[in-house]
Amino acid sequence: MDEPDIKKGHRPRQAGRKADKKKAKNKHEQDLTAKQRNPRAFAIQSVNKAAKAFRRTADIKTKKQHIPKVDRSPTEPPPIVVAIVGPPKVGKSTLLKCLVKNFTKQKLTNINGPVTVVAGKNRRLTLIECNNDINCMIDVGKVADLALLMVDAKQGFEMEIFEFFNICQATGFPRCMGVLNHLDQYKDSKTVRKRKKQLKNRFEIELYKGARLFYLSMLVNGEYLQNEVHNLCRFISVMKMTPLVWRASHPYVLADRMEDITNPENIRQNPKCDRVVSLYGYMRGTNMKSKSVVHIAGCGDYVIKTMTYLPDPCPTPQMEKRRSLNKRERLIYAPMSGVGGIVYDKDAVYIDIAKPTQEEEKPTGLVAALMESLKPVDEKVKESQISIFKGGPSLSGSDFSRKRHVDKTSDDEEDEDDEEDSGMDTDSTEDNDSAEDEDDEVKSPPRKRKKTDPYDEKDIDEIGYEEEDGDAEGMEDDSSDVDDESVDEMEQDEQEDSDSESGMLKWKKNMFERAALKHKNRKNYFKMVYGEDADDKKDEDKDDEEDEDLAGLFKVLKKHTKDNSQVDRHEINKLDCNRAENGESLDLDELKEDIADSFVTGKWDASEDAKARLDEDDELFGDFEDLETGEKFHGTKPSSALDSEDDNETKEDDNEQEGEEKEENDEEGSDQERPKTKAEMTAQERRMAKKKKIKDLFDKEYDNKGDSEFYDSWKSEMDEQSKLNRAEFEELPEEQRVQFEGFRPGMYVRIEFDQMPCELIENFDPTYPIIIGGMTNVEEKLGYVNVRIKKHRWYKKILKTRNPLILSLGWRRFQTIPFYYKLEDNLRRRMLKYTPEHIHCHATFWGPITPQGTGFLAVESVSEKTANFRIAATGVVLELDQSVEVEKKLKLVGTPLKVFKKSAFIQDMFTSSLEVAKFQGARLQTVSGLRGQVKKSLHTPPGAFRATFEDKIRMSDIVFLKAWVKLDIPKFIMPVTSLLLTPEAKQAWLGMRTIGQLRHERGLAVPQKADSAYKPIVRPERERKPLVIPRHLKRVLPFKDLPKDLREPQQQKRVAVVMEPAEAKVANFLKRVKALYNFKAVSHHREMRQRAKEHQKKKEAEEAVRQEKLKESKKRLHKILGEMKKKKEGKGGNS
Amino acid sequence: MSSLQFEGCNFFRMRIILSTLSGKSIKISTIRPEEDDPGLTDFEVSFIRLIDKVTNGSKTVISETGTQLIYRPGLLLGGKLEHDCHPSRSIGYYLEMLMCLAPFTKEPLHAVLRGVTSDKDDPSVDLLKLSVFPVLKRFLGTDEGLELKINKRGAAPEGGGEVLFTCPCRQKLRPLKFTQPGKIKRIRGVAWAVRVSPAFVNRLVDSARGVLNQFLTDVYIYTDHMKGSQSGKSPGFGLTLVAETTEGAFLAAEDVCSARGSGEAPTVPEDLGRKTAIALLKEIHRGGCVDSTSQGLTALLMVLGQQDVSKVQMGELSPYTIQFLRHIKDFFQVTFSIKVDKKPVATKSDDPNEEAEELKVGADKLILTCVGVGYANVSKPIR
């Protein structure tokens, strides 16, 4: 009974509502990952597979990476060039009008040349229409950022579209977008859908999968549907452009305005005189330098006379928050079509100042235009000459300005002068006058103030000096005020400086002085190199010359009494040597004092020192930094305390100078208070922290970066460079910036050219784009260009060496004579007479030096009217040189004249002993394969020579000499000057023609050389010599081996009888007689046979009768005899 | 097509190579018209011959009197070449300019130059190797294939030296950013002597060290006494010193003994050693990331880079460099921005009122900045 009461233990519910509740309450979580739980499943099963997988991932990763490039895209990009391309009558102009209308809400009726519109907050577009001249298409392909390819849905893709694709391909392929038009010509929606699909497929094949094709369904009131155009516009304004190599490395301007600013008087005197032309447009590509050589496509190479930037006539609205543009911001600039304030006529420019509303819309454009149109007048004033006295010296407008300029310094009334000066400024430098005006305004007050200064005289000097600067270059515009003051004060300070310094104010002044000094220094160094101002000097020189001219009758021998020219003369012929004389003769002690800190043993720079140390600290001892307070850290040398203890540990990591530096810092910072936190740490803590830090460093290096470290560092290097490029000159005023950098893309520039052909103006056609393409330095030169070329597979003909070909290479279009060749295995360039049909070959031609890797395309004619594909070939530049060796094979053939043992005399190979001399030692070969060598020429016959061979040759052998002849590639280049041609001639430019064309035109037959003609090969049957078997051999031969004379007996040859005519007549007569006789004989014979037959018959009949009679008689006889015998027997018997 | 006109024979080499690089033809007139022997001299003609060997298709027309020269440049060829430099100038005269051209040749340059290896006027081959090579290396990216081997030394006046210069060619150069020269951590040098007593070099080293050890302990000067066939035709000795900074800038200076038959007093090695050491200190005083010898080359290669900003710190510009910059503007339309670099200040104490103390690093340092013209080597073929 005392059994303990065993109670049942609690058994929790395994299932049911409660169990579920409990489960939900404390969810069991697997704390091990699948990989940890089941490592075997994740282990490498096969090494090969793992390697493959790894390689694959690495491949995928690497494929995503692009070669990092420095991003040189401008901060404010130029307008994007949108070109509308397509066959005629497809609706290009209508689309252009619709686009313009959509962007600007203005309807333009007559569009000529490029139209620049604002498309969005930070996007502008330059719209151009491309006509169907292949010259124009090529040029447009070079500048277009986006091409809208108009396609007639009914017609399908026409040749122009395909040609344009190939043009684009050669220039790096800008973006292309198709626009399908005339869809309303199909009535049935199903066919429309089918057609769309069909064309889209073809378009994608031609471009890439997913290439965009827009549809314009119908025309309403001569315009496309608004929403369709709107969609297209939206698409254009968000499209990203592809950066192209050629354009990224070359500056170019698509001129949207052209002005002839030649003196009208000159034109009146000689209408064909060279023109002074100024072209306007947005800079694109990269920076362009003033005074550089440019190529105007379709015109030629020209040197820029002057280049200035203008205020942007169509700026992007500067706004941040608002989303859409208001009406005022929807600018349009199209000077060639008369929008933007200017209307062009043949020989005049009209400024449109009609509607005030319009004026409001584009104030900048109008102002710019006004300012520009002032220019010629101003120049005229400058250039005009007045002679006061007859025969006296003439005064020019520029003289006036200079005189006034000179006067200025001596004038006391500065203020007035100033104003005049500024007035002059506005006249002379038309483009930056607004800026200068401002400057002047700013300048004037301090000057007035300065008048009260005690150093008045100096001031005046200073101002004179400064003004010269301002006029000359505008270099010091920004800071000239400060300059003046600082210079003054510096002078003051210099005096005071000699006294011993004391007090706070003193050092402040010192600082100022130093700043001024620095400022002055900067100016000096720049001027020391680039001179005060080149223009000023020239002017002075001119003055001098004029003076001498004025001196009159006596010609002053220019013996250069002036000092500077004497020095110059000496200077220019000094010894050319790069050894800088360290002019200052400092002795050792002074030097020692001056350069003490240049050595690692010297003091260290604050930035270098503390900051560098901090960074270093950050790397190694970052943890410490976290613990301590910021202020303390800044105030003291943080690491110095640490170093003293950790010196031993860090020594391996640090190089020697750092060690030294530390030691020094220790000494310096020893008296200052140290961070307590560090001091409080125990050595162990410190060590732990350091270990952790080092581990982190290690991890950072090896874990996180992975294998993309190289790529990342490369990329970051490029990013850094592009940041530097952007930041370096950003703060400078625009004028200086232009001087250092050149004209940046995005600027609106005016480029003036001298000596332009008058045809450019006279035959100006706004539908042809004017492209001013900048060139890098060597590109203006000519040389042999080696290219890889391929005949286009759609081109019908193959190309022939020496036939002229029109190439579009770089900015240029020119005609040249290519030589096609094949690079053989031994790197010999072997000429090909024709291009191969389906593979690449090489070619070389005389042309402009263009960087390697530039693409080009070739056409045979730009004037041809054909339905066929016009692009003849495409290719890429490989190498440039000043000489090139293309060779072709030449086989010289000779025959033996006389054969000795191993040498022989060969003739007919050369014509003179001189030729032989040139080929002495050359390799020879006979048909049978015997090799030999040319030895020496013989006297007779001329051109014969002695040769040796490896064995005796036969008289019947033919001897070859295989030689390679270098070809002369003609230095022919002919630019296609399509801009200079009259409208009729534009479509008919021929250039050099092939000989074939010339012959065809003149109806001449191709001259055939008799020797070159192919003739049937006649090979004489070889006569074999009879087999002669010696007699003694014959004797012993068995019969079967003996030669048997099995020949048929020879028939007697009949001799043809040739008779005299008389004889022939006789013979003929005889023959006839004979024939007659023969005939007669035959007939006689027949008759005779007949007769004989009859006679026979008769005879037979007679015979038969006779026989009958005989038979009768015999019968009778036998009867008698029988009777007689019977009688006898009867008698005898009876007897 | 476009052509530039100059006067006088000074800066002759510079004009020729800039013309070659830019493709612009030049006309130089009034070359020594008033001297006893007017016109071009032997070494200039020798230089033209060398250029002719390096280029293909260049054309030089010299007038009958020799006072006028028209040069139409060709394309740079490179490859293997040998040239006997006229001994009136040292090899440095020729090599200096060859170094400017070498990165842009069709094939890597492998030039054997014979003549005087060092004289008073021009940088010696040692100097070029020690000071210009580090600069060239920064532009090329590596120094693989960049070599200057002195096979024989030849002192002025007769020469008889031979050097081998090899340089790789590049499609494009790298932009240079080098504004922190760092501090000088070591000084190296070469003391050479030919056809004189071997003790001379040791005397040179000792006297130079005597000066330099006051600044730095890490001074090591190699001695190079060449004998026999390697020693050229004339006796001579010289010392080239180079100071290397923590950031890899090299500042070099040199001096040679006066040539035999030059009419000057014979040089004492001790004097020469001391003079050279002071010249080095002066060079350090001038300072910068590149020394005065390579200033011109640095500026040129900065301009001939890609269209990126290059920035370099230099000491005060030598007259030669100034002319170089002017000529660069003529040929390439590139203007340098020249600013005085602010002087580094020493670590200051926490008293904000006290003025920061400027470090004593010698003369003004200039920051030269330019944008490259996007120059590409058009000679080098692609396959």
Side-chain angles (χ1 to χ4, degrees), chain A residues 981-989:
Chain A
L981 299 170
T982 56
E984 311 87 60
K986 265 186 174 113
Q987 301 279 345
W989 191 86

Side-chain angles (χ1 to χ4, degrees), chain A residues 70-73 245-251 284-289 721-722 724-726 741 745 774-777, chain B residues 172-175 302-310 370-376:
Chain A
V70 179
D71 178 22
R72 299 194 182 96
S73 57
V245 178
W246 175 263
R247 291 185 211 173
S249 56
H250 290 80
R284 295 164 209 273
T286 176
N287 300 345
M288 189 187 259
K289 301 259 161 43
Q721 182 69 51
S722 82
L724 179 70
N725 289 353
R726 293 232 170 91
E741 281 184 307
M775 295 183 288
T776 62
N777 284 288
Chain B
K172 273 166 184 160
L173 293 185
R174 298 155 68 101
M302 275 161 77
V303 168
L304 296 180
Q306 298 169 52
Q307 273 154 345
D308 290 324
V309 169
S310 284
C370 80
V371 183
V373 290
Y375 192 85

Side-chain angles (χ1 to χ4, degrees), chain B residues 54-160:
Chain B
V54 186
T55 57
N56 181 19
S58 53
K59 200 177 169 190
T60 318
V61 181
I62 302 170
S63 71
E64 230 166 86
T65 51
T67 53
Q68 185 180 311
L69 169 113
I70 297 168
Y71 174 71
R72 210 189 62 203
L75 284 178
L76 284 164
L77 206 59
K80 284 195 175 180
L81 65 98
E82 291 187 13
H83 185 66
D84 290 323
C85 304
H86 195 269
S88 50
R89 298 298 288 263
S90 80
I91 289 176
Y93 176 83
Y94 307 89
L95 189 58
E96 214 182 350
M97 293 297 127
L98 211 52
M99 280 174 166
C100 300
L101 300 178
F104 304 104
T105 50
K106 193 182 278 289
E107 286 159 30
L109 188 69
H110 182 279
V112 176
L113 304 176
R114 297 197 191 85
V116 178
T117 49
S118 52
D119 69 359
K120 287 266 184 197
D121 293 335
D122 296 298
S124 71
V125 285
D126 293 301
L127 187 75
L128 291 176
K129 189 176 180 179
L130 292 173
S131 99
V132 183
F133 265 43
V135 179
L136 213 49
K137 183 189 161 187
R138 279 181 189 263
F139 283 104
L140 294 171
T142 63
D143 58 354
E144 202 182 320
L146 187 65
E147 196 190 353
L148 183 66
K149 204 172 150 197
I150 301 164
N151 294 331
K152 296 171 190 172
R153 279 187 190 277
E158 271 141 80

Side-chain angles (χ1 to χ4, degrees), chain A residues 354-371:
Chain A
K355 295 163 213 160
T357 50
Q358 216 174 1
E359 202 177 15
E360 271 176 19
E361 273 165 27
K362 39 196 185 298
T364 41
L366 186 58
V367 170
L370 268 167
M371 290 192 315

Side-chain angles (χ1 to χ4, degrees), chain A residues 529 578-579 597 606 725 852, chain B residues 96 120 183 254 345 380:
Chain A
V529 175
N578 176 18
R579 178 157 279 189
D597 295 333
N725 289 353
Q852 311 89 325
Chain B
E96 214 182 350
K120 287 266 184 197
K183 295 208 178 269
E254 66 161 357
V345 278
K380 203 179 177 194

